[in-house]
Amino acid sequence: MTTVRRAVLTLPAAPLGPDNPLPALRAPAGAGAHAVDPRTLAELPRDMARGIGRDPLRSLLPAPVRDGYGRERTPADLDTIVIENDRLRVTVLPGLGGRVHSLHHKPTGRELLYRNPVFQPAAFALNGAWFSGGVEWNIGATGHTTLSCSPLHAATVRAPDGGPMLRLWEWERLRDLPFQVDFWLPEGSDFLYVGVRIRNPHERTAPVYWWSNIAVPEDRRVLAPADAAWHHGYERGLSRVPVPVTEDGTDRTYPLNSTHAADWFYDLPEGRRRWIAALDADGTGLVQTSTDPLRGRKLFVWGTGRGGRRWQEWLTEPGTPGYAEIQAGLARTQLEHLELAAGAEFSWLEAYGPIAADPATALGEDWSAARADVERSLSGALPRATVDAAYTAWREEAADLAPEEVLAAGSGWGALEVLRGGHDLPGTPFPESTLGPEQEPWRELLRTGVLPAPVNGAAPLIAPLVASPWRDMLETAPADPTTEYQLGIAQWHAGDRAQAVRSWERGLKEAATRWPLLYCLAVADREDGHPERAADHFEEAFTDHEATAGGTETATGAGTTAGADDDEGRALVATALGREALDALLAVDRPDRARALWHRLPDSARRRGAFRLIEVRLLLAERRPDEARAVFDAGFEVADLREGAEVLGELWQRFTDELLPDAYEFRMRPS
């Protein structure tokens, strides 16, 4: 009999910490790592180029940036949900994006995934905090979902075969879409079935992105039914190359044959069964297959270079074996987004399980024979028709069933959208009981037409909403500073930057607490090519916060309330504003003013790795290279260093020709 039960997993874990209190007005910091240069874009197939250019993110709104974590790990208990039959035991983390942490095959005693022995957030998600290992569900836009470290709703439901099924669901806020992920294990099955549905309840077309990312040990061979792949490296190119051996004579289906981090998007022919497998030296491993709508398959490798090795170590414990990722998505590449019509849905079924092929064939040089052998093994273990039939049964009999026992709670944002829009979403209820303090000001706006102002002149740090219906309500609400602040954020998200600036300037005239509006104006100046004015506004925002910090400020982000303690909240805002202001002042060569601001930072901020990095920049701007070198020699870690960041190497080269120490080598492309 299949069972679904709660459990606890204890791991060394770094706390997530509070969210950044400043609104995320800019596009993801690492977006450039996934870009394609214009010349390459012009040479791509027309539909691929359209998908790459479809609705890029203008900002991360309404999601917050999650950068409050560090690198000190202590044992912590993580809530899990375990799905188990007599063949498989599946461990899911509902509080961390619904990640599948483990897929254990009981007859052989093998772990089919790369299972990270620690929980260590790193800045890989679109909004920051992300962690490696297992199977993650990426929805929203190119990159790792903003829900990577967020709780999802979870409950049991009846599976198509009558047994228990685990349902996870949430409201994805970047694209304003609800989705669900259903897990079940048919009795006696070696395969985990995963049904996924994304719905568009709006009266407009929505851009959609989905990739299921599967971490596997990197000492594998990765096979998929393709003779070519789209290669994307960190040089912003995208080129079609042969598989398995590229033009330089290297078999790229072995992750350890690549020196640098890279993506290989397999070009699967139409009509072929969708699958991807990772096999060890014995020809055994993991296979993932799906119904046809999940079109794309990909291999991601870290490479054997110093940067890739450092990232691998950074994401887990030193000495832990490395991993690669095999992935499956709705488009051919992760750079593309699809269109989902109003009132429509995308849905499909995935299956994950063990595979055993003839190692002499599957690992041999004859690529056609290797693929055919894996496909024969897959067909024997799980025929294509069985997957298609399981999808039909799930979609027709189970996808709309109401949840039975609630196992975990997600956010209240879906409940707020259902309350506003009256959406009917069978199978994924968002009851009003899940509304919380973050949603309450917006519920009040919905009920009365007035967005409540903060008490006693406090900062208007309400978690923003930016969808057009909320923007319309803000435009007709009484125009106090809080409303102007939120209206400007919504207008900025919509691309109406000039009107956003006008709203913030209007709010500034009457605001008792000015720094939130000054911060927004500073970002607008920087984005619009006025760096000197931006530096002035950032510095003024920091100074205003100093002057008003005696008041009560509640900095509210997704799922956390930082600043319930006044001193903690003030330090959080001062740290966030100080980091922005120092960066802006150094960008326009104002080291004297940057140094003066540096001394006004909280002591806790100056000790953080991100500020040690700023200190290096400041010392170099002051022409003190020996002292800058001393900061490196003393050692520091920037906990939220972004994927693809090269700043450490660039600064090092400004005061020495020596080789960059391994501890600071995070570059993911050739020098």
Side-chain angles (χ1 to χ4, degrees):
M1 293 288 292
T2 299
T3 60
V4 177
R5 58 183 170 86
R6 290 189 184 96
V8 173
L9 173 68
T10 302
L11 291 178
L16 277 170
D19 292 340
N20 192 305
L22 307 177
L25 300 176
R26 284 168 288 183
H34 302 290
V36 176
D37 65 80
R39 179 179 299 178
T40 299
L41 196 64
E43 297 172 352
L44 297 176
R46 187 172 301 176
D47 61 333
M48 182 180 286
R50 281 199 303 267
I52 292 173
R54 181 172 288 126
D55 293 297
L57 293 179
R58 296 190 183 97
S59 73
L60 280 172
L61 294 167
V65 172
R66 314 201 71 175
D67 60 1
Y69 54 88
R71 295 195 51 82
E72 293 185 8
R73 297 191 287 267
T74 56
D77 292 338
L78 304 179
D79 291 331
T80 70
I81 299 173
V82 177
I83 315 157
E84 189 168 10
N85 66 2
D86 61 333
R87 311 289 293 177
L88 287 175
R89 182 168 61 249
V90 184
T91 304
V92 179
L93 302 172
L96 295 169
R99 182 81 59 104
V100 176
H101 174 73
S102 170
L103 188 60
H104 178 77
H105 188 234
K106 295 160 77 171
T108 61
R110 289 192 292 120
E111 173 60 48
L112 301 180
L113 304 172
Y114 166 78
R115 183 175 57 190
N116 197 333
V118 306
F119 172 69
Q120 176 55 65
F124 277 70
L126 288 164
N127 62 335
W130 169 88
F131 63 107
S132 66
V135 184
E136 59 177 307
W137 318 106
N138 289 303
I139 182 174
T142 298
H144 297 278
T145 176
T146 60
L147 297 168
S148 291
C149 292
S150 296
L152 306 187
H153 299 283
T156 57
V157 187
R158 287 295 99 190
D161 61 0
M165 180 169 72
L166 170 63
R167 173 164 300 158
L168 304 177
W169 72 100
E170 234 324 338
W171 197 282
E172 199 285 314
R173 300 180 68 206
L174 288 184
R175 301 304 194 182
D176 208 19
L177 300 175
F179 71 98
Q180 72 189 76
V181 185
D182 289 355
F183 305 84
W184 78 101
L185 287 170
E187 187 174 351
S189 175
D190 280 315
F191 284 84
L192 170 68
Y193 289 175
V194 182
V196 184
R197 174 165 62 169
I198 304 170
R199 286 185 275 195
N200 181 5
H202 307 296
E203 296 180 352
R204 54 170 173 77
T205 298
V208 169
Y209 171 94
W210 181 280
W211 281 80
S212 304
N213 288 17
I214 309 144
V216 295
E218 65 182 350
D219 58 344
R220 300 289 189 265
R221 188 185 203 188
V222 174
L223 299 98
D227 291 311
W230 293 94
H231 170 245
H232 180 257
Y234 286 78
E235 303 86 10
R236 302 184 63 182
L238 186 64
S239 58
R240 196 169 186 269
V241 298
V243 173
V245 179
T246 52
E247 289 90 342
D248 63 358
T250 304
D251 187 338
R252 300 292 181 177
T253 62
Y254 290 90
L256 292 173
N257 282 354
S258 292
T259 304
H260 300 287
D263 303 322
W264 309 89
F265 300 102
Y266 294 113
D267 197 358
L268 275 61
E270 290 295 334
R272 294 293 301 270
R273 185 177 186 180
R274 314 298 195 193
W275 60 268
I276 190 167
L279 306 182
D280 61 18
D282 296 327
T284 60
L286 171 75
V287 66
Q288 186 270 4
T289 188
S290 71
T291 50
D292 288 350
L294 201 65
R295 176 183 184 179
R297 293 296 185 277
K298 171 191 163 184
L299 166 63
F300 167 76
V301 300
W302 283 106
T304 58
R306 291 204 307 146
R309 293 300 93 190
R310 182 62 177 127
W311 275 117
Q312 293 259 30
E313 181 183 72
W314 183 256
L315 298 172
T316 183
E317 296 277 22
T320 302
Y323 76 96
E325 286 185 0
I326 57 175
Q327 305 179 11
L330 285 173
R332 281 169 296 187
T333 73
Q334 285 177 325
L335 311 179
E336 302 167 74
H337 297 74
L338 304 183
E339 287 186 333
L340 182 58
E345 70 173 50
F346 288 137
S347 61
W348 63 91
L349 184 82
E350 304 181 44
Y352 296 78
I355 189 75
D358 174 25
T361 305
L363 307 181
E365 295 183 2
D366 187 333
W367 178 241
S368 295
R371 292 181 328 193
D373 188 67
V374 174
E375 195 147 4
R376 278 193 298 271
S377 297
L378 174 59
S379 296
L382 186 67
R384 184 177 187 177
T386 300
V387 176
D388 292 340
Y391 165 76
T392 300
W394 167 73
R395 184 60 193 87
E396 294 179 355
E397 302 170 20
D400 287 345
L401 289 179
E404 297 175 355
E405 180 187 3
V406 174
L407 301 176
S411 77
W413 295 114
L416 186 66
E417 292 302 328
V418 168
L419 188 65
R420 181 201 59 76
H423 305 302
D424 182 24
L425 300 167
T428 55
F430 294 94
E432 287 191 46
S433 60
T434 60
L435 291 168
E438 288 184 302
Q439 292 81 41
E440 189 54 40
W442 298 100
R443 189 182 190 183
E444 186 70 10
L445 174 65
L446 188 62
R447 187 178 66 84
T448 66
V450 178
L451 189 67
V455 296
N456 300 325
L461 295 181
I462 300 168
L465 284 176
V466 295
S468 56
W470 296 105
R471 187 173 72 248
D472 293 344
M473 281 184 267
L474 289 168
E475 287 176 344
T476 58
D480 60 26
T482 299
T483 301
E484 295 285 15
Y485 170 70
Q486 291 290 344
L487 176 58
I489 291 173
Q491 290 166 332
W492 180 268
H493 174 265
D496 192 350
R497 294 187 172 185
Q499 190 59 56
V501 169
R502 284 192 285 271
S503 295
W504 292 326
E505 289 175 340
R506 285 195 303 268
L508 195 61
K509 293 176 182 178
E510 305 293 333
T513 300
R514 295 161 50 85
W515 68 260
L517 294 146
L518 289 167
Y519 164 76
C520 292
L521 290 169
V523 174
D525 287 333
R526 182 154 61 187
E527 296 294 296
D528 290 340
H530 305 292
E532 292 84 3
R533 197 164 67 199
D536 290 338
H537 272 138
F538 278 124
E539 190 177 14
E540 189 179 356
F542 183 87
T543 300
D544 183 77
H545 175 260
E546 279 185 312
T548 60
T552 300
E553 294 177 355
T554 301
T556 305
T560 63
T561 302
D565 174 84
D566 290 347
D567 290 339
E568 180 187 351
R570 287 194 292 271
L572 179 67
V573 174
T575 298
L577 286 174
R579 189 172 179 179
E580 295 278 3
L582 287 168
D583 182 72
L585 288 167
L586 291 173
V588 294
D589 195 23
R590 295 177 182 174
D592 293 344
R593 287 165 62 175
R595 177 60 69 183
L597 193 148
W598 173 268
H599 290 301
R600 293 150 59 193
L601 289 168
D603 290 340
S604 59
R606 286 196 296 266
R607 290 193 296 268
R608 292 178 56 182
F611 284 85
R612 300 298 304 280
L613 179 61
I614 291 174
E615 185 181 13
V616 171
R617 295 175 56 202
L618 179 53
L619 289 166
L620 288 171
E622 293 170 331
R623 295 176 172 79
R624 298 157 67 185
D626 291 344
E627 293 173 71
R629 168 66 183 263
V631 176
F632 269 87
D633 291 343
F636 64 93
E637 293 182 323
V638 183
D640 60 339
L641 192 70
R642 290 296 311 192
E643 174 187 7
E646 299 180 348
V647 62
L648 292 170
E650 292 167 355
L651 291 175
W652 177 263
Q653 290 172 350
R654 289 181 59 183
F655 52 73
T656 181
D657 293 330
E658 297 173 25
L659 182 68
L660 182 68
D662 288 345
Y664 303 115
E665 179 57 275
F666 291 93
R667 290 173 289 195
M668 299 174 70
R669 62 178 178 172
S671 299

